[in-house]
Amino acid sequence: MLERYSSRHIDLAEGFLNKHLRNAKSYDRLAGYFSSSILEIAGEAIESIEGIARVVCNSEVESKDVLVAKLAKQKLVREWFKSKPELKAEQFPDRFKKLYELLKCGKLQVRVVPNDVYGLVHGKAGVITLSDGGKIAFVGSVNETLPAWKGNYEILWADDSIESVEWVQNEFDFFWNSPYACELCDLIIENIGRLAERKVVSIEEWQKWPDPASPVIEAPVYREGFGLWNHQKYFVKMVFEEHCKDGARYILADEVGLGKTAQLGMIAQLTALYGDKPVLIIVPKTLLWQWQDELKTMFDIPSAVWDGKKWIVETGQEYRPQANGIPPILQCPRRIGIISQGLITSNSDITKPLLEIDYECVIVDEAHRARRQNLNKPAEKPEPNNLMKFLLELSQRTKTMILATATPIQLHPVEGWDLLYILAQGSPKVLGNEFSLWYQRHLEAIDLVRGQKEISSKAYYWGWIRNPLPPSKENPFTIGKLRRSLGMSDDEYVSYDDYDALLPSQQDIVDELIEENFMEKYNPFIRHIVKRKRSTLENTIDPETGEPYLKKIDVLLYGEGDDEGLVLSAPLKKAYEYAEEFTNLLRQKTGAKGFYKTLLLRRMGSSMQAGLNTAKAIYEKRAIVKDDFSEDDEDDEMPDRINITGRDELFCLEEIIELLEFNKDNDPKLNMILHILKNMGWLERGCIIFSEYFDTAWTVAQKLSSSLPDERIAIYAGGDKSGIFKNGVYSKVERDEIKELVLDGKIRLMIGTDAAAEGLNLQTLGTLINVDLPWNPIRLEQRQGRIRRIGQQFDKVYVYNLRYKDSIEDKIHAVLSGRIKATYDMIGSLPEIIKDEWMEIVKTVEILNSEHPFDIKYKDHVEKVDWESCKRILDNEQRKEWLMRGWSN
């Protein structure tokens, strides 16, 4: 029978819905958008249903995303968090608790359908199977929210006829069984459960019982649906626990692409919140603004950057120094301050006051730049460069210090010891006291760690073990037992007893440690250098899930063959030969050093347009534009201009300019890029194209925009140089907006300088083209890490390396593609920059196949770290207010 209802006359929720739902057998509902308020009007009634309640909702997930489950999941999570569910949870915790219980047990099931397939699900309808087996269908304007059923004016038709019930049921079944319908993902369901018991605590309360999850679980990195890897949470948790005791000292040497900056950012925030002293972050000048941007966009962390004269906060506001007697650099307006390594390497007086105050935490990115100058004399005490000298002093004034570098060793293993030496200042936990064998006999220590020397005497071996004696956590059954037997507290690291003075039971434990191979498992290098490899994480199974800790993403490399270098036309080859001649003349006549030795060749190797721009600038004695991520060595003094006066050099430049002006449009790299995108199908998978130089990126974007007029092509670069090309027309666009467009799948082609290689998540793109090959192999890994990361939709990503045949780039490629053996067995990393010493080590070295101690350690120590169920949340306003306090507050 057809019945008509109006909210003017009855309470629709009680007069119709709940009356029929109580003790019903099932409920199928087309309900518009999913909301926690689904239970505001039918909570108890749904609980009383004998069977299942099924709900179909709208979603902004796109149909193409549904084909890739993890991408759809990520977008669902982003959509869920955009609704700010925590605010609703504060008002209705009981509702969230009921909703979680129903979703978790399966009594309530939700599927969402993409808007771009069916549009909005405006047809609100439902079928209720009553307790006696009868069915009733209803349609109307009523959405599944409290205002709809109880607050708005709504009308509803109900009918128990077979024809009406079948009609509504068929409509529901069509959407429920649609190939585009997505299940409400577990992450959202678990978040609902967490929100049901969410408790906001003050910063004072958090400081009494500090935990790393409370300040971060509702940060943007979670709201964007990315979350954090277990290995990241593991390291942050370990460092913070040590910080809360007597401070932490670590070298973070994870492989590129494993999220070092995120880990360091979390540590900076946690230590800043825990204590009242400043947190200082020291980074290369090229990373200053990216660091600030990543702190803000990933974790909503306020910070200030020193630009050489003043502090600039995350909003862009400038804070000029006050004439109050406090040195300008100490007037940081935020708890976390970021400065450039360049100020320190240049020995600027501005940085001297930084050595006069104490810190809660000091973090150094690209810390391998702190090195000894007498590397050719490794047996001697280090003669530190300016950065190392500065850090040796700074280490004594901080509670926690983290040195981050993917390449702690480049040319000699003593470089690894030097970094430990920095950490050891003021902290006996690293290398012991000044009388330690690890201090006094560092080359012997290195040989012992590498297994190139053995100790025959137990008494001598004990000398290495006892100073410093590792903490109990390294092995509670041996080291912990020994510490208790010796009466050593957790913050004591030196035992002064000789081996012969030990009790027989204590000697037995020492003998067990020796038998267990202490030098491999517990030496200071292993304890204080944290190095996780992607391959280890991909092959280590999480016992809880049965899945690897890191999902494997294979990389298919193209352009790697010896015969795959791009052949230059005769005029372009001639121009390149003139560039080589110019470079040789420059070396001989001007004594140019560093970057300028190969400046023209490298820019020409990037693109002919970049080579033309550079040749003109040199010829016209104009300033050379330093790109976002030029390979400048910050220790070099780099002039803006090269003063060329020799006739031979000028002749070479004239020939280069003339040849390139007439042939620049026939650049084989530009033609190859278009072929890869269109004919090899890479555009369909989404592509990021990298270049070191902005003029190359701009040229590539212009060329592609002309050839692909319907495609939106983004340029992502430093400063204010980012924007979008469409049909050859360029518009300036903020980098944050470009990121959003890429994440939402609205841009599938991006051209980036290396400003895009740090802190940018491009997991929606499945291919990468390197227009040029940087001499820094780590930068190649950083580029690859933009797409080979959590949330990547493809199981395989494609990478194409372009180079001109017989160019300097071709020679560098030979070095990069050669399997360089770990320089030394302690770390096994590629060098930061290809130096002359490495040029001979090409394809002639053996590859280490055995498992490295680092692999063993982190295979055993990677574990599930559950932050996602954290119910205790640090008050966000108080968190930000605390972090926005200046150093002098």
Side-chain angles (χ1 to χ4, degrees):
M1 185 177 72
L2 177 64
E3 295 181 280
R4 302 175 182 87
Y5 295 88
S6 166
S7 60
R8 289 194 305 115
H9 302 296
I10 67 165
D11 181 328
L12 292 179
E14 292 305 318
F16 172 76
L17 183 65
N18 289 341
K19 181 177 79 172
H20 291 94
L21 279 181
R22 289 189 184 96
N23 302 313
K25 290 186 179 294
S26 66
Y27 178 36
D28 288 343
R29 177 76 157 114
L30 292 168
Y33 276 96
F34 175 71
S35 165
S36 62
S37 61
I38 191 172
L39 293 187
E40 283 179 295
I41 37 79
E44 292 180 5
I46 287 179
E47 286 182 280
S48 73
I49 292 175
E50 181 183 331
I52 294 171
R54 300 187 297 176
V55 181
V56 170
C57 304
N58 274 121
S59 171
E60 293 178 7
V61 170
E62 296 179 31
S63 55
K64 64 180 180 180
D65 300 331
V66 177
L67 303 177
V68 186
K70 53 191 168 187
L71 194 59
K73 173 181 173 181
Q74 179 186 308
K75 288 200 172 183
L76 281 173
V77 171
R78 292 179 70 205
E79 190 175 328
W80 167 252
F81 276 114
K82 277 182 181 178
S83 70
K84 298 187 176 179
E86 67 277 2
L87 300 181
K88 297 173 187 172
E90 288 178 4
Q91 294 178 287
F92 308 105
D94 291 341
R95 182 211 304 168
F96 272 70
K97 186 175 181 181
K98 282 183 183 178
L99 182 57
Y100 174 69
E101 290 169 353
L102 290 169
L103 289 166
K104 192 70 175 173
C105 73
K107 184 177 279 289
L108 175 61
Q109 297 178 8
V110 179
R111 290 185 182 177
V112 294
V113 292
N115 291 351
D116 69 336
V117 178
Y118 307 111
L120 294 177
V121 180
H122 254 300
K124 310 301 188 298
V127 175
I128 301 172
T129 303
L130 304 172
S131 58
D132 62 1
K135 293 176 183 285
I136 187 169
F138 65 92
V139 296
S141 56
V142 193
N143 206 332
E144 207 76 344
T145 64
L146 183 62
W149 286 98
K150 288 182 176 290
N152 301 338
Y153 168 70
E154 305 283 358
I155 55 177
L156 180 149
W157 287 259
D159 192 353
D160 59 1
S161 69
I162 294 174
E163 294 82 6
S164 294
V165 169
E166 286 184 351
W167 175 57
V168 174
Q169 189 68 56
N170 286 337
E171 291 300 309
F172 174 85
D173 290 345
F174 171 82
F175 287 102
W176 185 261
N177 297 317
S178 167
Y180 296 107
C182 302
E183 300 280 355
L184 196 66
C185 63
D186 290 342
L187 204 154
I188 293 177
I189 295 174
E190 292 305 320
N191 187 253
I192 291 169
R194 182 184 72 80
L195 292 175
E197 300 181 42
R198 180 177 181 268
K199 179 187 177 185
V200 178
V201 300
S202 68
I203 193 161
E204 291 79 14
E205 188 176 348
W206 179 84
Q207 287 172 336
K208 291 177 185 176
W209 297 282
D211 70 287
S214 295
V216 77
I217 189 58
E218 293 180 1
V221 70
Y222 276 99
R223 292 183 173 279
E224 293 296 324
F226 302 129
L228 294 162
W229 284 319
N230 273 312
H231 72 272
Q232 293 175 308
K233 294 182 284 186
Y234 172 83
F235 179 69
V236 172
K237 179 174 177 283
M238 177 178 70
V239 168
F240 187 54
E241 286 175 351
E242 288 189 34
H243 178 80
C244 294
K245 295 173 183 175
D246 58 349
R249 303 273 162 152
Y250 285 102
I251 297 165
L252 181 59
D254 283 350
E255 283 187 345
V256 172
L258 295 183
K260 284 195 294 294
T261 308
Q263 296 173 75
L264 300 172
M266 284 188 281
I267 290 166
Q269 173 174 240
L270 288 167
T271 54
L273 291 170
Y274 182 76
D276 56 4
K277 293 186 178 69
V279 171
L280 178 64
I281 301 176
I282 304 173
V283 305
K285 62 184 179 183
T286 51
L287 298 180
L288 275 173
W289 304 107
Q290 287 185 38
W291 254 90
Q292 186 177 59
D293 182 62
E294 188 152 348
L295 289 179
K296 179 183 176 183
T297 56
M298 289 190 71
F299 301 107
D300 193 24
I301 298 174
S303 65
V305 167
W306 178 262
D307 73 348
K309 296 180 181 178
K310 58 189 176 301
W311 289 101
I312 301 175
V313 298
E314 71 289 342
T315 61
Q317 184 179 355
E318 299 179 354
Y319 282 77
R320 296 192 175 275
Q322 302 296 311
N324 56 10
I326 300 175
I329 202 168
L330 297 186
Q331 296 183 36
C332 181
R334 296 288 185 262
R335 185 64 62 190
I336 299 171
I338 309 170
I339 70 165
S340 165
Q341 288 181 5
L343 291 171
I344 300 168
T345 57
S346 63
N347 206 24
S348 170
D349 289 337
I350 292 174
T351 62
K352 298 297 190 292
L354 292 171
L355 297 172
E356 298 171 4
I357 63 172
D358 294 330
Y359 300 89
E360 198 73 27
C361 177
V362 171
I363 292 170
V364 185
D365 200 5
E366 306 293 338
H368 55 269
R369 298 186 180 200
R371 55 173 75 99
R372 63 168 63 203
Q373 298 180 100
N374 55 333
L375 191 59
N376 59 336
K377 299 176 181 177
E380 297 182 3
K381 186 177 180 180
E383 295 175 6
N385 65 5
N386 287 338
L387 181 58
M388 183 178 179
K389 182 180 179 182
F390 187 87
L391 295 181
L392 286 168
E393 293 187 52
L394 202 62
S395 179
Q396 301 175 54
R397 306 215 63 149
T398 186
K399 183 176 181 181
T400 286
M401 176 175 268
I402 310 295
L403 305 179
T405 169
T407 55
I409 293 173
Q410 296 182 74
L411 294 174
H412 194 286
V414 77
E415 294 171 290
W417 182 87
D418 286 346
L419 292 178
L420 290 179
Y421 180 60
I422 292 171
L423 293 179
Q425 304 309 302
S427 180
K429 67 163 62 177
V430 182
L431 293 176
N433 62 24
E434 58 184 342
F435 303 108
S436 158
L437 294 173
W438 296 97
Y439 262 120
Q440 303 293 330
R441 303 179 181 181
H442 63 273
L443 283 191
E444 184 180 355
I446 289 169
D447 286 341
L448 291 170
V449 169
R450 296 171 65 196
Q452 295 191 349
K453 185 174 182 180
E454 293 186 359
I455 303 173
S456 56
S457 162
K458 290 181 179 179
Y460 187 49
Y461 208 136
W462 169 242
W464 291 93
I465 295 174
R466 69 181 176 87
N467 188 1
L469 189 63
S472 299
K473 68 172 187 175
E474 290 293 329
N475 190 325
F477 302 105
T478 50
I479 297 172
K481 185 177 179 182
L482 180 60
R483 277 181 157 274
R484 290 191 295 274
S485 175
L486 293 168
M488 293 177 66
S489 62
D490 289 342
D491 59 355
E492 289 182 282
Y493 296 97
V494 180
S495 169
Y496 295 93
D497 296 317
D498 291 333
Y499 181 81
D500 294 337
L502 296 176
L503 298 173
S505 60
Q506 294 169 336
Q507 289 184 350
D508 287 343
I509 301 174
V510 173
D511 294 349
E512 189 177 342
L513 281 172
I514 294 172
E515 190 70 26
E516 197 181 350
N517 197 348
F518 175 92
M519 279 298 170
E520 180 179 273
K521 293 185 177 181
Y522 307 117
N523 70 73
F525 291 87
I526 292 292
R527 293 207 310 273
H528 292 280
I529 300 178
V530 175
K531 183 176 182 66
R532 279 79 60 94
K533 295 181 180 178
R534 175 178 284 274
S535 58
T536 303
L537 296 170
E538 287 174 342
N539 295 313
T540 304
I541 301 299
D542 179 351
E544 183 174 308
T545 64
E547 298 290 329
Y549 281 105
L550 196 63
K551 187 181 184 310
K552 188 171 185 180
I553 301 171
D554 290 322
V555 178
L556 297 183
L557 285 174
Y558 294 80
E560 291 295 290
D562 292 339
D563 59 343
E564 292 188 78
L566 301 176
V567 178
L568 292 169
S569 64
L572 291 178
K573 190 166 192 246
K574 191 65 179 174
Y576 193 86
E577 289 170 356
Y578 276 120
E580 288 181 311
E581 184 179 344
F582 172 83
T583 299
N584 291 331
L585 290 167
L586 193 65
R587 284 179 177 142
Q588 295 166 14
K589 295 188 177 182
T590 67
K593 66 172 184 173
F595 184 62
Y596 282 125
K597 284 181 184 177
T598 52
L599 172 67
L600 182 56
L601 279 179
R602 291 176 67 175
R603 297 226 184 190
M604 192 177 290
S606 174
S607 69
M608 292 302 154
Q609 184 64 58
L612 175 60
N613 294 347
T614 306
K616 283 182 174 180
I618 297 172
Y619 186 78
E620 296 167 7
K621 298 181 172 56
R622 288 188 282 109
I624 306 287
V625 177
K626 295 185 176 70
D627 286 279
D628 307 277
F629 271 72
S630 61
E631 294 291 336
D632 306 2
D633 183 342
E634 291 193 48
D635 290 331
D636 285 347
E637 294 181 9
M638 302 298 294
D640 287 332
R641 294 171 174 80
I642 305 177
N643 190 21
I644 303 298
T645 57
R647 290 180 59 186
D648 293 340
E649 293 96 310
L650 290 172
F651 173 77
C652 288
L653 291 172
E654 289 166 355
E655 292 298 309
I656 291 168
I657 293 168
E658 183 178 351
L659 287 164
L660 293 184
E661 281 284 14
F662 288 101
N663 295 278
K664 62 185 180 184
D665 292 334
N666 296 317
D667 192 328
K669 282 192 176 180
L670 299 178
N671 297 330
M672 188 63 182
I673 290 169
L674 197 57
H675 169 75
I676 294 167
L677 292 173
K678 293 177 71 174
N679 300 336
M680 294 176 63
W682 286 32
L683 183 57
E684 294 301 314
R685 292 169 60 98
C687 186
I688 171 71
I689 300 174
F690 273 115
S691 172
E692 286 193 274
Y693 307 116
F694 180 76
D695 42 8
T696 294
W698 181 269
T699 302
V700 171
Q702 276 187 318
K703 169 86 171 178
L704 293 179
S705 187
S706 299
S707 303
L708 305 167
D710 296 329
E711 198 74 28
R712 284 204 288 182
I713 300 172
I715 289 186
Y716 192 93
D720 61 350
K721 295 189 288 188
S722 297
I724 294 175
F725 270 102
K726 179 72 182 294
N727 197 16
V729 178
Y730 173 77
S731 304
K732 268 192 178 181
V733 178
E734 292 294 322
R735 290 197 296 182
D736 285 347
E737 185 177 344
I738 291 175
K739 287 190 228 179
E740 283 295 316
L741 290 169
V742 173
L743 281 174
D744 289 337
K746 294 183 171 57
I747 288 180
R748 55 180 183 168
L749 184 55
M750 177 189 283
I751 322 295
T753 65
D754 281 305
E758 280 288 330
L760 184 62
N761 300 312
L762 297 175
Q763 51 271 68
T764 54
L765 307 178
T767 65
L768 182 156
I769 299 172
N770 288 309
V771 184
D772 42 45
L773 300 178
W775 290 20
N776 180 343
I778 297 305
R779 186 150 306 147
L780 272 179
E781 290 294 317
Q782 286 172 336
R783 291 177 178 183
Q784 197 178 104
R786 296 312 96 209
I787 61 173
R788 195 184 181 202
R789 60 195 303 109
I790 190 170
Q792 170 53 242
Q793 55 180 313
F794 297 107
D795 293 330
K796 293 179 181 178
V797 294
Y798 304 160
V799 177
Y800 208 119
N801 293 326
L802 299 176
R803 67 192 190 280
Y804 299 124
K805 187 171 178 57
D806 298 327
S807 65
I808 191 170
E809 206 175 37
D810 203 18
K811 294 168 186 156
I812 292 301
H813 174 264
V815 176
L816 293 180
S817 62
R819 289 299 194 188
I820 303 176
K821 177 186 180 290
T823 324
Y824 308 100
D825 306 321
M826 286 191 303
I827 304 295
S829 298
L830 287 169
E832 180 207 14
I833 293 182
I834 302 297
K835 299 179 184 290
D836 291 341
E837 296 93 324
W838 286 93
M839 289 298 194
E840 304 302 319
I841 315 177
V842 183
K843 301 178 183 177
T844 59
V845 293
E846 61 178 289
I847 303 170
L848 284 177
N849 292 316
S850 59
E851 200 169 35
H852 193 276
F854 279 109
D855 296 331
I856 298 169
K857 181 177 178 72
Y858 291 105
K859 188 174 288 185
D860 294 339
H861 287 72
V862 175
E863 59 190 33
K864 172 76 172 175
V865 181
D866 181 17
W867 290 359
E868 288 67 26
S869 62
C870 176
K871 302 171 180 65
R872 182 171 171 263
I873 307 301
L874 176 60
D875 184 283
N876 193 48
E877 288 187 11
Q878 290 190 16
R879 177 189 68 87
K880 292 187 75 170
E881 188 277 330
W882 184 275
L883 294 174
M884 290 173 76
R885 296 180 183 180
W887 286 3
S888 56
N889 290 356

